[in-house]
């Protein structure tokens, strides 16, 4: 159990969720990322502490695949080649007045390559047959991952065919 008082942060309007609202394919780790990318701007003076993440598939896969959360470390280079598309950030409490300092994209080229820090989902497959095919995955992160100013996070994958779907991350913004 986390020692983050999520209810107090929620009451203060500091809990948020980012997500895709249309399906996107995720990529292997690198500097050019697709899917759902969350960025904590340089100089924000906030730490984004992740509470949970989820991913739901919109297409069936025909091969083994794994999904994780990759983080690009804090850097002075601002991400480029950005596509906003369907990525959004909203207050996790429905507050119209709460605004996150975070920025989210469907595609971004980051200054430093991501490294997958947490694998939380996987699909197996039997050649010539069918495998296990769950379509939704959840991860209770509870503050174990987060972003300092200048850092970014993205869903990443490994496997023969990477999944298309929609990701989400809930987080708390904490003053540094």
């Amino acid at each position: 159990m986390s020692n983050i008082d999520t209810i107090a942060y929620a009451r203060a309007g500091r809990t948020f969720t980012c997500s895709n609202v249309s399906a996107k394919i995720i990529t292997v780790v690198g500097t050019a990322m697709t899917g759902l990318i969350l960025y904590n701007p340089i100089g924000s003076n906030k730490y984004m502490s992740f509470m949970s993440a989820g991913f739901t598939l919109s297409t069936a896969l025909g091969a083994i695949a794994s999904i994780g959360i990759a983080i690009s470390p804090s850097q002075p280079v601002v991400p480029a080649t950005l596509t906003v598309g369907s990525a959004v950030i909203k207050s996790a409490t429905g507050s119209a007045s709460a605004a996150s300092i975070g920025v989210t994209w469907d595609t971004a080229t980051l200054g430093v390559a991501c490294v997958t820090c947490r694998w939380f989902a996987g699909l197996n497959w039997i050649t010539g047959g069918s495998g296990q095919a769950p379509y939704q995955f959840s991860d209770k992160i509870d503050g174990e991952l987060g972003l300092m100013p200048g850092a970014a996070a993205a869903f990443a994958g490994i496997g023969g065919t990477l999944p298309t779907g929609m990701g989400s991350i809930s987080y708390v913004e904490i003053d540094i």
Side-chain angles (χ1 to χ4, degrees):
M1 183 170 169
S2 171
N3 64 356
I4 298 172
D5 188 347
T6 54
I7 294 173
Y9 280 111
R11 287 179 35 199
R14 299 179 91 182
T15 57
F16 300 93
T17 184
C18 67
S19 62
N20 299 111
V21 294
S22 67
K24 304 295 175 202
I25 191 166
I26 63 173
T27 56
V28 297
V29 292
T31 55
M33 300 301 293
T34 64
L36 179 66
I37 300 98
L38 176 62
Y39 175 66
N40 186 352
I42 297 168
S44 72
N45 233 12
K46 304 281 187 202
Y47 173 68
M48 301 167 95
S49 179
F50 294 178
M51 299 310 296
S52 64
F55 193 87
T56 187
L57 301 173
S58 62
T59 58
L61 298 180
I64 293 172
S66 294
I67 302 168
I69 298 172
I71 294 180
S72 177
S74 183
Q75 58 199 288
V77 178
V78 176
T81 319
L82 311 169
T83 304
V84 174
S86 72
V88 297
I89 295 178
K90 299 288 185 183
S91 166
T93 62
S95 171
S97 62
S100 173
I101 52 91
V103 182
T104 190
W105 305 293
D106 291 335
T107 64
T109 300
L110 306 170
V112 177
C114 290
V115 174
T116 303
C117 297
R118 188 173 180 116
W119 295 102
F120 71 95
L123 302 154
N124 65 15
W125 187 258
I126 301 167
T127 303
S130 62
Q132 178 186 7
Y135 64 91
Q136 193 280 332
F137 305 94
S138 296
D139 187 13
K140 183 77 170 161
I141 300 168
D142 217 17
E144 293 178 10
L145 292 177
L147 299 177
M148 294 300 283
F155 286 96
I158 57 170
T161 304
L162 292 178
T164 297
M166 295 175 281
S168 66
I169 299 172
S170 67
Y171 60 95
V172 174
E173 290 183 358
I174 301 169
D175 293 331
I176 295 178

